[in-house]
Amino acid sequence: MVEQVSLFTENKKGMMQDITGILTENNINIISLVTNDCGEFGVIRMLVSDPQTAAKAFQARDYLTHVDNVLCVEMKDVPGGLNSLLRDIAGSNIDVDYVYTSFDRETSMPIAVIQVQDMEDVEICLRGYGHVCRD
């Protein structure tokens, strides 16, 4: 499992640059980032090179911040790669809360970033199907 940093932010001009500026000030690299717009507010989820330092830096600037674990699972880089992975998760009878994709910079493999309620069960299920889960 991998630590993910999530922020609940106002949806206003300059907010994203402020967030990326805080990461820059702390020499933290963004590995993956996804934003979800909810009208006046948004949720930003990111994988970064130092999640604990990032969280502390955001909290020091009064951002509502949460660090949690997600599964990062290699996918086949073919049409249906994500569908195949999700089909295998469905076999575990566990609902996916959310998923977004990224790429491993070293291997250029696509990665699914997955949030579910029971991470350990899903990880066991996926490994049983031969999927590679990243740490």
PDB file of all heavy atoms in Angstrom, residues 53-88:
ATOM      1  N   THR A  53       5.611  14.784   5.053  1.00  0.00           N
ATOM      2  CA  THR A  53       6.071  16.172   5.026  1.00  0.00           C
ATOM      3  C   THR A  53       5.068  17.049   4.286  1.00  0.00           C
ATOM      4  O   THR A  53       4.781  18.172   4.715  1.00  0.00           O
ATOM      5  CB  THR A  53       7.464  16.270   4.377  1.00  0.00           C
ATOM      6  OG1 THR A  53       8.380  15.491   5.151  1.00  0.00           O
ATOM      7  CG2 THR A  53       7.954  17.706   4.314  1.00  0.00           C
ATOM      8  N   ALA A  54       4.523  16.536   3.192  1.00  0.00           N
ATOM      9  CA  ALA A  54       3.515  17.290   2.438  1.00  0.00           C
ATOM     10  C   ALA A  54       2.305  17.580   3.321  1.00  0.00           C
ATOM     11  O   ALA A  54       1.815  18.711   3.361  1.00  0.00           O
ATOM     12  CB  ALA A  54       3.109  16.521   1.191  1.00  0.00           C
ATOM     13  N   ALA A  55       1.819  16.576   4.013  1.00  0.00           N
ATOM     14  CA  ALA A  55       0.648  16.756   4.878  1.00  0.00           C
ATOM     15  C   ALA A  55       0.912  17.814   5.946  1.00  0.00           C
ATOM     16  O   ALA A  55       0.075  18.693   6.192  1.00  0.00           O
ATOM     17  CB  ALA A  55       0.261  15.431   5.521  1.00  0.00           C
ATOM     18  N   LYS A  56       2.076  17.752   6.574  1.00  0.00           N
ATOM     19  CA  LYS A  56       2.417  18.745   7.603  1.00  0.00           C
ATOM     20  C   LYS A  56       2.492  20.148   7.014  1.00  0.00           C
ATOM     21  O   LYS A  56       2.031  21.115   7.627  1.00  0.00           O
ATOM     22  CB  LYS A  56       3.735  18.376   8.271  1.00  0.00           C
ATOM     23  CG  LYS A  56       3.615  17.168   9.164  1.00  0.00           C
ATOM     24  CD  LYS A  56       4.966  16.765   9.734  1.00  0.00           C
ATOM     25  CE  LYS A  56       4.840  15.449  10.494  1.00  0.00           C
ATOM     26  NZ  LYS A  56       6.131  14.899  10.878  1.00  0.00           N
ATOM     27  N   ALA A  57       3.059  20.260   5.813  1.00  0.00           N
ATOM     28  CA  ALA A  57       3.180  21.570   5.164  1.00  0.00           C
ATOM     29  C   ALA A  57       1.798  22.128   4.811  1.00  0.00           C
ATOM     30  O   ALA A  57       1.538  23.320   5.004  1.00  0.00           O
ATOM     31  CB  ALA A  57       4.052  21.458   3.915  1.00  0.00           C
ATOM     32  N   PHE A  58       0.910  21.274   4.314  1.00  0.00           N
ATOM     33  CA  PHE A  58      -0.451  21.732   3.991  1.00  0.00           C
ATOM     34  C   PHE A  58      -1.213  22.119   5.258  1.00  0.00           C
ATOM     35  O   PHE A  58      -1.905  23.128   5.296  1.00  0.00           O
ATOM     36  CB  PHE A  58      -1.224  20.647   3.230  1.00  0.00           C
ATOM     37  CG  PHE A  58      -0.733  20.422   1.831  1.00  0.00           C
ATOM     38  CD1 PHE A  58      -0.509  19.132   1.371  1.00  0.00           C
ATOM     39  CD2 PHE A  58      -0.500  21.477   0.967  1.00  0.00           C
ATOM     40  CE1 PHE A  58      -0.072  18.902   0.076  1.00  0.00           C
ATOM     41  CE2 PHE A  58      -0.054  21.272  -0.332  1.00  0.00           C
ATOM     42  CZ  PHE A  58       0.156  19.980  -0.781  1.00  0.00           C
ATOM     43  N   GLN A  59      -1.078  21.315   6.309  1.00  0.00           N
ATOM     44  CA  GLN A  59      -1.768  21.617   7.567  1.00  0.00           C
ATOM     45  C   GLN A  59      -1.262  22.927   8.165  1.00  0.00           C
ATOM     46  O   GLN A  59      -2.046  23.690   8.738  1.00  0.00           O
ATOM     47  CB  GLN A  59      -1.593  20.457   8.536  1.00  0.00           C
ATOM     48  CG  GLN A  59      -2.376  19.231   8.116  1.00  0.00           C
ATOM     49  CD  GLN A  59      -1.974  17.969   8.844  1.00  0.00           C
ATOM     50  OE1 GLN A  59      -0.987  17.939   9.581  1.00  0.00           O
ATOM     51  NE2 GLN A  59      -2.734  16.897   8.637  1.00  0.00           N
ATOM     52  N   ALA A  60       0.030  23.194   8.010  1.00  0.00           N
ATOM     53  CA  ALA A  60       0.592  24.452   8.518  1.00  0.00           C
ATOM     54  C   ALA A  60       0.000  25.663   7.796  1.00  0.00           C
ATOM     55  O   ALA A  60      -0.001  26.770   8.340  1.00  0.00           O
ATOM     56  CB  ALA A  60       2.115  24.445   8.369  1.00  0.00           C
ATOM     57  N   ARG A  61      -0.521  25.448   6.586  1.00  0.00           N
ATOM     58  CA  ARG A  61      -1.171  26.520   5.823  1.00  0.00           C
ATOM     59  C   ARG A  61      -2.690  26.418   5.908  1.00  0.00           C
ATOM     60  O   ARG A  61      -3.403  26.987   5.100  1.00  0.00           O
ATOM     61  CB  ARG A  61      -0.732  26.458   4.360  1.00  0.00           C
ATOM     62  CG  ARG A  61       0.753  26.605   4.141  1.00  0.00           C
ATOM     63  CD  ARG A  61       1.170  28.065   4.043  1.00  0.00           C
ATOM     64  NE  ARG A  61       2.569  28.164   3.693  1.00  0.00           N
ATOM     65  CZ  ARG A  61       3.051  28.281   2.462  1.00  0.00           C
ATOM     66  NH1 ARG A  61       2.240  28.331   1.429  1.00  0.00           N
ATOM     67  NH2 ARG A  61       4.348  28.356   2.256  1.00  0.00           N
ATOM     68  N   ASP A  62      -3.169  25.675   6.895  1.00  0.00           N
ATOM     69  CA  ASP A  62      -4.600  25.552   7.201  1.00  0.00           C
ATOM     70  C   ASP A  62      -5.421  24.827   6.137  1.00  0.00           C
ATOM     71  O   ASP A  62      -6.636  25.045   6.025  1.00  0.00           O
ATOM     72  CB  ASP A  62      -5.219  26.931   7.485  1.00  0.00           C
ATOM     73  CG  ASP A  62      -4.651  27.543   8.747  1.00  0.00           C
ATOM     74  OD1 ASP A  62      -4.354  26.783   9.698  1.00  0.00           O
ATOM     75  OD2 ASP A  62      -4.494  28.777   8.783  1.00  0.00           O
ATOM     76  N   TYR A  63      -4.788  23.950   5.384  1.00  0.00           N
ATOM     77  CA  TYR A  63      -5.543  23.095   4.467  1.00  0.00           C
ATOM     78  C   TYR A  63      -6.060  21.888   5.241  1.00  0.00           C
ATOM     79  O   TYR A  63      -5.332  21.299   6.040  1.00  0.00           O
ATOM     80  CB  TYR A  63      -4.662  22.599   3.320  1.00  0.00           C
ATOM     81  CG  TYR A  63      -4.455  23.616   2.227  1.00  0.00           C
ATOM     82  CD1 TYR A  63      -3.313  24.402   2.201  1.00  0.00           C
ATOM     83  CD2 TYR A  63      -5.407  23.773   1.227  1.00  0.00           C
ATOM     84  CE1 TYR A  63      -3.113  25.332   1.191  1.00  0.00           C
ATOM     85  CE2 TYR A  63      -5.214  24.703   0.219  1.00  0.00           C
ATOM     86  CZ  TYR A  63      -4.068  25.477   0.210  1.00  0.00           C
ATOM     87  OH  TYR A  63      -3.882  26.393  -0.787  1.00  0.00           O
ATOM     88  N   LEU A  64      -7.313  21.537   5.002  1.00  0.00           N
ATOM     89  CA  LEU A  64      -7.879  20.323   5.568  1.00  0.00           C
ATOM     90  C   LEU A  64      -7.239  19.157   4.813  1.00  0.00           C
ATOM     91  O   LEU A  64      -7.464  18.974   3.617  1.00  0.00           O
ATOM     92  CB  LEU A  64      -9.398  20.317   5.408  1.00  0.00           C
ATOM     93  CG  LEU A  64     -10.145  19.128   5.992  1.00  0.00           C
ATOM     94  CD1 LEU A  64      -9.847  18.967   7.482  1.00  0.00           C
ATOM     95  CD2 LEU A  64     -11.633  19.296   5.777  1.00  0.00           C
ATOM     96  N   THR A  65      -6.399  18.390   5.510  1.00  0.00           N
ATOM     97  CA  THR A  65      -5.542  17.384   4.889  1.00  0.00           C
ATOM     98  C   THR A  65      -5.758  16.033   5.533  1.00  0.00           C
ATOM     99  O   THR A  65      -5.944  15.928   6.749  1.00  0.00           O
ATOM    100  CB  THR A  65      -4.055  17.794   5.069  1.00  0.00           C
ATOM    101  OG1 THR A  65      -3.885  19.129   4.598  1.00  0.00           O
ATOM    102  CG2 THR A  65      -3.127  16.863   4.329  1.00  0.00           C
ATOM    103  N   HIS A  66      -5.702  15.013   4.704  1.00  0.00           N
ATOM    104  CA  HIS A  66      -5.850  13.640   5.189  1.00  0.00           C
ATOM    105  C   HIS A  66      -4.848  12.750   4.462  1.00  0.00           C
ATOM    106  O   HIS A  66      -4.664  12.879   3.255  1.00  0.00           O
ATOM    107  CB  HIS A  66      -7.278  13.156   4.925  1.00  0.00           C
ATOM    108  CG  HIS A  66      -7.533  11.764   5.353  1.00  0.00           C
ATOM    109  ND1 HIS A  66      -7.623  11.400   6.677  1.00  0.00           N
ATOM    110  CD2 HIS A  66      -7.695  10.632   4.648  1.00  0.00           C
ATOM    111  CE1 HIS A  66      -7.853  10.105   6.756  1.00  0.00           C
ATOM    112  NE2 HIS A  66      -7.889   9.609   5.534  1.00  0.00           N
ATOM    113  N   VAL A  67      -4.187  11.879   5.207  1.00  0.00           N
ATOM    114  CA  VAL A  67      -3.286  10.895   4.608  1.00  0.00           C
ATOM    115  C   VAL A  67      -3.899   9.519   4.827  1.00  0.00           C
ATOM    116  O   VAL A  67      -4.282   9.185   5.949  1.00  0.00           O
ATOM    117  CB  VAL A  67      -1.868  10.950   5.234  1.00  0.00           C
ATOM    118  CG1 VAL A  67      -0.975   9.872   4.642  1.00  0.00           C
ATOM    119  CG2 VAL A  67      -1.247  12.325   5.041  1.00  0.00           C
ATOM    120  N   ASP A  68      -4.039   8.767   3.746  1.00  0.00           N
ATOM    121  CA  ASP A  68      -4.564   7.417   3.871  1.00  0.00           C
ATOM    122  C   ASP A  68      -3.822   6.494   2.908  1.00  0.00           C
ATOM    123  O   ASP A  68      -2.997   6.949   2.125  1.00  0.00           O
ATOM    124  CB  ASP A  68      -6.074   7.364   3.644  1.00  0.00           C
ATOM    125  CG  ASP A  68      -6.494   7.861   2.281  1.00  0.00           C
ATOM    126  OD1 ASP A  68      -5.662   8.420   1.547  1.00  0.00           O
ATOM    127  OD2 ASP A  68      -7.667   7.696   1.927  1.00  0.00           O
ATOM    128  N   ASN A  69      -4.111   5.225   3.007  1.00  0.00           N
ATOM    129  CA  ASN A  69      -3.465   4.240   2.155  1.00  0.00           C
ATOM    130  C   ASN A  69      -4.325   3.921   0.951  1.00  0.00           C
ATOM    131  O   ASN A  69      -5.556   3.859   1.055  1.00  0.00           O
ATOM    132  CB  ASN A  69      -3.190   2.950   2.927  1.00  0.00           C
ATOM    133  CG  ASN A  69      -2.107   3.136   3.961  1.00  0.00           C
ATOM    134  OD1 ASN A  69      -1.104   3.788   3.721  1.00  0.00           O
ATOM    135  ND2 ASN A  69      -2.305   2.556   5.126  1.00  0.00           N
ATOM    136  N   VAL A  70      -3.661   3.731  -0.184  1.00  0.00           N
ATOM    137  CA  VAL A  70      -4.308   3.284  -1.403  1.00  0.00           C
ATOM    138  C   VAL A  70      -3.496   2.131  -1.974  1.00  0.00           C
ATOM    139  O   VAL A  70      -2.319   1.961  -1.635  1.00  0.00           O
ATOM    140  CB  VAL A  70      -4.423   4.418  -2.450  1.00  0.00           C
ATOM    141  CG1 VAL A  70      -5.403   5.485  -1.992  1.00  0.00           C
ATOM    142  CG2 VAL A  70      -3.064   5.024  -2.771  1.00  0.00           C
ATOM    143  N   LEU A  71      -4.131   1.354  -2.824  1.00  0.00           N
ATOM    144  CA  LEU A  71      -3.415   0.307  -3.549  1.00  0.00           C
ATOM    145  C   LEU A  71      -2.960   0.869  -4.883  1.00  0.00           C
ATOM    146  O   LEU A  71      -3.717   1.556  -5.567  1.00  0.00           O
ATOM    147  CB  LEU A  71      -4.323  -0.892  -3.812  1.00  0.00           C
ATOM    148  CG  LEU A  71      -4.662  -1.777  -2.638  1.00  0.00           C
ATOM    149  CD1 LEU A  71      -5.679  -2.836  -3.074  1.00  0.00           C
ATOM    150  CD2 LEU A  71      -3.419  -2.454  -2.109  1.00  0.00           C
ATOM    151  N   CYS A  72      -1.728   0.586  -5.243  1.00  0.00           N
ATOM    152  CA  CYS A  72      -1.211   0.932  -6.562  1.00  0.00           C
ATOM    153  C   CYS A  72      -0.921  -0.388  -7.265  1.00  0.00           C
ATOM    154  O   CYS A  72      -0.078  -1.166  -6.813  1.00  0.00           O
ATOM    155  CB  CYS A  72       0.052   1.772  -6.452  1.00  0.00           C
ATOM    156  SG  CYS A  72      -0.271   3.420  -5.797  1.00  0.00           S
ATOM    157  N   VAL A  73      -1.644  -0.625  -8.342  1.00  0.00           N
ATOM    158  CA  VAL A  73      -1.607  -1.917  -9.007  1.00  0.00           C
ATOM    159  C   VAL A  73      -1.224  -1.725 -10.469  1.00  0.00           C
ATOM    160  O   VAL A  73      -1.833  -0.904 -11.170  1.00  0.00           O
ATOM    161  CB  VAL A  73      -2.975  -2.630  -8.917  1.00  0.00           C
ATOM    162  CG1 VAL A  73      -2.901  -4.024  -9.502  1.00  0.00           C
ATOM    163  CG2 VAL A  73      -3.475  -2.662  -7.478  1.00  0.00           C
ATOM    164  N   GLU A  74      -0.237  -2.480 -10.931  1.00  0.00           N
ATOM    165  CA  GLU A  74       0.144  -2.427 -12.341  1.00  0.00           C
ATOM    166  C   GLU A  74      -1.013  -2.921 -13.199  1.00  0.00           C
ATOM    167  O   GLU A  74      -1.722  -3.852 -12.828  1.00  0.00           O
ATOM    168  CB  GLU A  74       1.369  -3.297 -12.607  1.00  0.00           C
ATOM    169  CG  GLU A  74       2.646  -2.728 -12.061  1.00  0.00           C
ATOM    170  CD  GLU A  74       3.870  -3.571 -12.416  1.00  0.00           C
ATOM    171  OE1 GLU A  74       3.728  -4.572 -13.170  1.00  0.00           O
ATOM    172  OE2 GLU A  74       4.954  -3.225 -11.935  1.00  0.00           O
ATOM    173  N   MET A  75      -1.167  -2.280 -14.347  1.00  0.00           N
ATOM    174  CA  MET A  75      -2.184  -2.698 -15.313  1.00  0.00           C
ATOM    175  C   MET A  75      -1.508  -3.001 -16.641  1.00  0.00           C
ATOM    176  O   MET A  75      -0.434  -2.470 -16.935  1.00  0.00           O
ATOM    177  CB  MET A  75      -3.186  -1.565 -15.578  1.00  0.00           C
ATOM    178  CG  MET A  75      -3.992  -1.116 -14.424  1.00  0.00           C
ATOM    179  SD  MET A  75      -5.216   0.136 -14.900  1.00  0.00           S
ATOM    180  CE  MET A  75      -4.302   1.301 -15.870  1.00  0.00           C
ATOM    181  N   LYS A  76      -2.153  -3.797 -17.443  1.00  0.00           N
ATOM    182  CA  LYS A  76      -1.684  -4.009 -18.803  1.00  0.00           C
ATOM    183  C   LYS A  76      -1.994  -2.765 -19.613  1.00  0.00           C
ATOM    184  O   LYS A  76      -3.069  -2.173 -19.472  1.00  0.00           O
ATOM    185  CB  LYS A  76      -2.348  -5.233 -19.413  1.00  0.00           C
ATOM    186  CG  LYS A  76      -1.941  -6.514 -18.739  1.00  0.00           C
ATOM    187  CD  LYS A  76      -2.630  -7.706 -19.354  1.00  0.00           C
ATOM    188  CE  LYS A  76      -2.212  -8.960 -18.604  1.00  0.00           C
ATOM    189  NZ  LYS A  76      -3.009 -10.116 -18.990  1.00  0.00           N
ATOM    190  N   ASP A  77      -1.063  -2.352 -20.461  1.00  0.00           N
ATOM    191  CA  ASP A  77      -1.243  -1.161 -21.287  1.00  0.00           C
ATOM    192  C   ASP A  77      -1.907  -1.551 -22.605  1.00  0.00           C
ATOM    193  O   ASP A  77      -1.310  -1.474 -23.679  1.00  0.00           O
ATOM    194  CB  ASP A  77       0.108  -0.483 -21.528  1.00  0.00           C
ATOM    195  CG  ASP A  77      -0.038   0.911 -22.098  1.00  0.00           C
ATOM    196  OD1 ASP A  77      -1.174   1.418 -22.172  1.00  0.00           O
ATOM    197  OD2 ASP A  77       0.988   1.501 -22.492  1.00  0.00           O
ATOM    198  N   VAL A  78      -3.147  -2.009 -22.476  1.00  0.00           N
ATOM    199  CA  VAL A  78      -3.941  -2.423 -23.628  1.00  0.00           C
ATOM    200  C   VAL A  78      -5.379  -1.972 -23.395  1.00  0.00           C
ATOM    201  O   VAL A  78      -5.771  -1.730 -22.247  1.00  0.00           O
ATOM    202  CB  VAL A  78      -3.914  -3.968 -23.813  1.00  0.00           C
ATOM    203  CG1 VAL A  78      -2.506  -4.459 -24.101  1.00  0.00           C
ATOM    204  CG2 VAL A  78      -4.478  -4.677 -22.592  1.00  0.00           C
ATOM    205  N   PRO A  79      -6.171  -1.857 -24.459  1.00  0.00           N
ATOM    206  CA  PRO A  79      -7.591  -1.578 -24.239  1.00  0.00           C
ATOM    207  C   PRO A  79      -8.185  -2.646 -23.327  1.00  0.00           C
ATOM    208  O   PRO A  79      -7.979  -3.842 -23.531  1.00  0.00           O
ATOM    209  CB  PRO A  79      -8.190  -1.652 -25.654  1.00  0.00           C
ATOM    210  CG  PRO A  79      -7.041  -1.314 -26.563  1.00  0.00           C
ATOM    211  CD  PRO A  79      -5.828  -1.919 -25.895  1.00  0.00           C
ATOM    212  N   GLY A  80      -8.885  -2.234 -22.315  1.00  0.00           N
ATOM    213  CA  GLY A  80      -9.492  -3.164 -21.367  1.00  0.00           C
ATOM    214  C   GLY A  80      -8.610  -3.496 -20.173  1.00  0.00           C
ATOM    215  O   GLY A  80      -9.013  -4.283 -19.317  1.00  0.00           O
ATOM    216  N   GLY A  81      -7.409  -2.898 -20.082  1.00  0.00           N
ATOM    217  CA  GLY A  81      -6.514  -3.182 -18.955  1.00  0.00           C
ATOM    218  C   GLY A  81      -7.136  -2.845 -17.615  1.00  0.00           C
ATOM    219  O   GLY A  81      -7.090  -3.644 -16.677  1.00  0.00           O
ATOM    220  N   LEU A  82      -7.746  -1.673 -17.519  1.00  0.00           N
ATOM    221  CA  LEU A  82      -8.401  -1.277 -16.268  1.00  0.00           C
ATOM    222  C   LEU A  82      -9.649  -2.128 -16.039  1.00  0.00           C
ATOM    223  O   LEU A  82      -9.920  -2.562 -14.915  1.00  0.00           O
ATOM    224  CB  LEU A  82      -8.754   0.208 -16.274  1.00  0.00           C
ATOM    225  CG  LEU A  82      -9.458   0.744 -15.022  1.00  0.00           C
ATOM    226  CD1 LEU A  82      -8.618   0.519 -13.775  1.00  0.00           C
ATOM    227  CD2 LEU A  82      -9.782   2.221 -15.195  1.00  0.00           C
ATOM    228  N   ASN A  83     -10.391  -2.399 -17.089  1.00  0.00           N
ATOM    229  CA  ASN A  83     -11.590  -3.224 -16.961  1.00  0.00           C
ATOM    230  C   ASN A  83     -11.244  -4.605 -16.409  1.00  0.00           C
ATOM    231  O   ASN A  83     -11.936  -5.128 -15.540  1.00  0.00           O
ATOM    232  CB  ASN A  83     -12.291  -3.350 -18.310  1.00  0.00           C
ATOM    233  CG  ASN A  83     -13.573  -4.136 -18.197  1.00  0.00           C
ATOM    234  OD1 ASN A  83     -14.509  -3.714 -17.522  1.00  0.00           O
ATOM    235  ND2 ASN A  83     -13.612  -5.278 -18.840  1.00  0.00           N
ATOM    236  N   SER A  84     -10.166  -5.179 -16.890  1.00  0.00           N
ATOM    237  CA  SER A  84      -9.737  -6.498 -16.415  1.00  0.00           C
ATOM    238  C   SER A  84      -9.420  -6.461 -14.921  1.00  0.00           C
ATOM    239  O   SER A  84      -9.817  -7.348 -14.167  1.00  0.00           O
ATOM    240  CB  SER A  84      -8.516  -6.962 -17.207  1.00  0.00           C
ATOM    241  OG  SER A  84      -8.002  -8.156 -16.683  1.00  0.00           O
ATOM    242  N   LEU A  85      -8.713  -5.429 -14.505  1.00  0.00           N
ATOM    243  CA  LEU A  85      -8.369  -5.272 -13.093  1.00  0.00           C
ATOM    244  C   LEU A  85      -9.626  -5.112 -12.238  1.00  0.00           C
ATOM    245  O   LEU A  85      -9.779  -5.763 -11.200  1.00  0.00           O
ATOM    246  CB  LEU A  85      -7.450  -4.057 -12.930  1.00  0.00           C
ATOM    247  CG  LEU A  85      -7.071  -3.644 -11.526  1.00  0.00           C
ATOM    248  CD1 LEU A  85      -6.234  -4.720 -10.853  1.00  0.00           C
ATOM    249  CD2 LEU A  85      -6.310  -2.330 -11.574  1.00  0.00           C
ATOM    250  N   LEU A  86     -10.563  -4.282 -12.688  1.00  0.00           N
ATOM    251  CA  LEU A  86     -11.796  -4.065 -11.940  1.00  0.00           C
ATOM    252  C   LEU A  86     -12.660  -5.321 -11.905  1.00  0.00           C
ATOM    253  O   LEU A  86     -13.324  -5.594 -10.896  1.00  0.00           O
ATOM    254  CB  LEU A  86     -12.573  -2.881 -12.523  1.00  0.00           C
ATOM    255  CG  LEU A  86     -11.889  -1.522 -12.357  1.00  0.00           C
ATOM    256  CD1 LEU A  86     -12.649  -0.453 -13.123  1.00  0.00           C
ATOM    257  CD2 LEU A  86     -11.727  -1.148 -10.902  1.00  0.00           C
ATOM    258  N   ARG A  87     -12.643  -6.103 -12.968  1.00  0.00           N
ATOM    259  CA  ARG A  87     -13.378  -7.369 -12.985  1.00  0.00           C
ATOM    260  C   ARG A  87     -12.828  -8.311 -11.915  1.00  0.00           C
ATOM    261  O   ARG A  87     -13.575  -8.968 -11.195  1.00  0.00           O
ATOM    262  CB  ARG A  87     -13.287  -8.011 -14.369  1.00  0.00           C
ATOM    263  CG  ARG A  87     -14.080  -9.312 -14.473  1.00  0.00           C
ATOM    264  CD  ARG A  87     -13.860 -10.024 -15.794  1.00  0.00           C
ATOM    265  NE  ARG A  87     -12.463 -10.411 -15.900  1.00  0.00           N
ATOM    266  CZ  ARG A  87     -11.654 -10.081 -16.910  1.00  0.00           C
ATOM    267  NH1 ARG A  87     -12.093  -9.370 -17.910  1.00  0.00           N
ATOM    268  NH2 ARG A  87     -10.394 -10.480 -16.910  1.00  0.00           N
ATOM    269  N   ASP A  88     -11.493  -8.328 -11.780  1.00  0.00           N
ATOM    270  CA  ASP A  88     -10.885  -9.185 -10.763  1.00  0.00           C
ATOM    271  C   ASP A  88     -11.223  -8.697  -9.355  1.00  0.00           C
ATOM    272  O   ASP A  88     -11.441  -9.507  -8.450  1.00  0.00           O
ATOM    273  CB  ASP A  88      -9.373  -9.275 -10.967  1.00  0.00           C
ATOM    274  CG  ASP A  88      -9.010 -10.043 -12.229  1.00  0.00           C
ATOM    275  OD1 ASP A  88      -9.881 -10.767 -12.771  1.00  0.00           O
ATOM    276  OD2 ASP A  88      -7.858  -9.913 -12.686  1.00  0.00           O
TER     277      ASP A  88
END
